[in-house]
Amino acid sequence: MSDPNGLIQPGRTAPGFTLPATPDGALVGPEQFRGRPVVLAFYPADWSPVCGDQMSLYQSAAPVFAQYQAVVLGVSVDSIWSHRAFAESRGIEFPLLADFEPKGEVARSYGAYMANGEAARALVVLDPAGKVTWSYLSPPDVNPGADGIFDALDQLAADRKVMAG
């Protein structure tokens, strides 16, 4: 499903999945949000400084994501308990999904898994039908920010206006 060189490319149907989002076993995946854009933010580790800053940025940008009716899902190989403590410490309210067992299975299906056993720092934007519209692989130590995501969401919104008009 991914490009031979790595990350899944635009135009592909996103692999379906559900992953644990809470300690009580609630499962969350992009299919639950059909009809809305979904931002998959793969990241290496909950407690690294770059990851913390990146996820906090997306939380602070929640009002902008809401304007696009977009859903953000964070995905790493950390356990659900690590996600819970991390989210509480950083004030993160969007779902952090545990790609924990089998380790990295979802990240692998998107071409966002590194040889060191962590998810790559990768962003994937899905259109409301579940097709990849934009993807970006960032160096592990660089926060990719949100500009590329917002550009992709702008393009999706423009495309919907053209189709509706």
Side-chain angles (χ1 to χ4, degrees):
M1 288 265 190
S2 65
D3 182 275
N5 297 319
L7 191 61
I8 193 167
Q9 296 297 299
R12 303 247 183 168
T13 298
F17 69 87
T18 57
L19 289 171
T22 62
D24 67 5
L27 297 175
V28 174
E31 294 85 4
Q32 293 167 266
F33 303 102
R34 286 290 186 259
R36 298 172 66 184
V38 174
V39 178
L40 299 176
F42 292 92
Y43 64 102
D46 283 340
W47 299 98
S48 79
V50 176
C51 295
D53 291 347
Q54 180 186 2
M55 295 302 115
S56 294
L57 170 66
Y58 299 155
Q59 181 59 48
S60 68
V64 181
F65 287 117
Q67 290 174 357
Y68 293 102
Q69 299 182 323
V71 176
V72 177
L73 302 175
V75 183
S76 85
V77 299
D78 292 301
S79 74
I80 197 62
W81 294 104
S82 178
H83 282 335
R84 181 179 181 180
F86 176 65
E88 287 175 0
S89 77
R90 290 295 203 139
I92 296 168
E93 297 175 2
F94 60 87
L96 298 178
L97 308 183
D99 194 8
F100 187 71
E101 185 58 42
K103 186 178 182 182
E105 182 176 55
V106 170
R108 288 175 208 268
S109 74
Y110 280 79
Y113 190 77
M114 298 186 299
N116 69 355
E118 295 175 335
R121 189 174 310 284
L123 301 169
V124 179
V125 175
L126 310 180
D127 71 11
K131 187 166 280 202
V132 177
T133 61
W134 180 78
S135 62
Y136 176 73
L137 183 62
S138 180
D141 58 345
V142 175
N143 182 341
D147 290 346
I149 297 169
F150 294 141
D151 289 347
L153 292 172
D154 281 341
Q155 187 60 52
L156 268 177
D159 291 348
R160 283 191 284 192
K161 283 182 184 174
V162 168
M163 291 174 69

